[in-house]
Amino acid sequence: MANLTWDEILRTLERMLGASVTTLELFGFTLLFALPLGLLVSFGRMSKVKPLRWAIQLYLLIMRGTPLMIQLIFFWFVLPAKSILPDSFSDQTCRLIVAIVAFSLNYAAYFAEIYRSGIEGVPSGQREAASVLGFSRGQTFFHVVLPQVVKRILPPMGNEFMTLVKDTSLAQVIAVAEMTWLAGKIQASMVSIFPVVVAAMFYLMMNAVVSKCFSVAEKRLSYYH
Amino acid sequence: MNVLSANHIVKSFGKTTVLKNISFEVKRGEVLSVIGPSGSGKSTLLRCCTLLERVDSGNIVYGDLPMVQTGEHGKGIYSPGPVLQQIRRHFGLVFQNFNLFPHMSVLRNITEAPIRVAGQSREEAESRARALLSDMGLSDKERAYPCELSGGQQQRVAIARAMALQPDILFFDEPTSALDPELTGEILKVIRKLAEARMTMVVVTHEMAFARDVSDRVIFMDSGVIVEQGDPKQVIEHPKSERTRTFLSRFNGI
Ligand SMILES: Nc1ncnc2c1ncn2[C@@H]1O[C@H](COP(=O)(O)OP(=O)(O)OP(=O)(O)O)[C@@H](O)[C@H]1O
Ligand SMILES: [Mg+2]
């Protein structure tokens, strides 16, 4: 690193700042889609309709049973992204969108199982009390069950979020220009470990923020147990 | 006048029949105690009356609204959802383990249903909730969370929560069984006060002295059948049936 000029360092940092936006986009959009999708999947997993339950179980097995990296390659080759998406979308945008689709489907599977354990962990007496008080099913879910689920699932969700931060680096297999992909490219051309260290620091900082957010949330919900 | 009447109720879980042809009625303003050994079906009976469980067959009528009626093929046919919802609004249930909503303050536990279900305004619901809390001696606890209360206090909040909807019948499933003996007394006192105010109540209990002194009628259940019912002094002090006698002999000194 000692032989890098200030100019090289600044230019590297500038390029990596751009890639960090891509990483953040991948992270943010995956959560945006996977969090609600996971809830729907968990409903399907707990459904009384057997064929639906079986279909969801198969989906969960495939998503959790095969490497995310292979899923990414699969979606890139199977989804005719370039022909579906508008021509005005750049190659990079198309790649990012496919990555977001693959990540969302994959993470929804993990979130679904976390939701399910949280929902099943709420004592049945809570639902019974609500039912006798005349709450509809929707009211019972949103006002009685869900708030308690949120508290219960915070710790495993925190883990999942931190894993997602690091997993975004897998998108490099379909050449999404995220942090790790760019760090690897610069590292090869500069023959310096510097960009890789920058990328590592970036993930570390991002996860420090995620971890802090979760501990704040857990504290705020600690007024009851 | 009967507030609730149940006839020929049969309820099974899988192959085990838990309620075998149960018939009884609840009259307006009366306190009906249900006693019997563990596993005799007391909770299941309350749960069927409050629509937490569905009967296999039999008739249950609330006032003049049918809840379930035995159809042609001998199976219980329930009234449509809106009718059940209407009936449900006249029932309150107090559980053995309180089942308060842990994430809501005491006040919100009580006002939640009046606001969301009965459509009361927040002010109306809160002023009624405060009156109930003061009746229960819990005026200073409205902002507390259930986990900050003793078992006896939680159970009093649960009673206030059930009362907030001004039910026609209040059901209790062993309201004191999860409590220490000292706390049992405070809950029984509350129920006694409700009885004096002519609240219609069905109380499943193991407190024989309470059943004898407070109720107007007692039902003794064993293995899913009503073995004996009648005047509490008669049933508890001079039971006719051998099974009742055997069961009561375990509660010496009442
Ligand atoms: N959801 C259920 N599934 C299967 N069996 C059940 C279920 N609920 C109750 N039972 C069975 O029904 C029988 C009656 O149970 P219930 O809880 O009504 O008795 P209980 O008289 O309330 O007893 P306790 O005094 O112990 O509360 C028991 O044999 C019990 O195992
Ligand atoms: Mg019971």
Side-chain angles (χ1 to χ4, degrees), chain A residues 39-53:
Chain A
L39 193 58
L40 292 180
V41 172
S42 79
F43 290 155
R45 174 72 181 74
M46 293 182 289
S47 160
K48 288 195 187 80
V49 185
K50 272 188 189 163
L52 177 62
R53 215 165 57 220

Side-chain angles (χ1 to χ4, degrees), chain B residues 42-44 96 173-174 204:
Chain B
K42 306 180 297 295
S43 296
T44 307
Q96 180 174 342
D173 192 359
E174 302 194 29
V204 172

Side-chain angles (χ1 to χ4, degrees), chain A residues 85-102:
Chain A
L85 295 169
D87 289 339
S88 55
F89 281 24
S90 68
D91 173 66
Q92 261 307 308
T93 308
C94 291
R95 286 173 191 276
L96 180 60
I97 288 172
V98 170
I100 289 169
V101 170

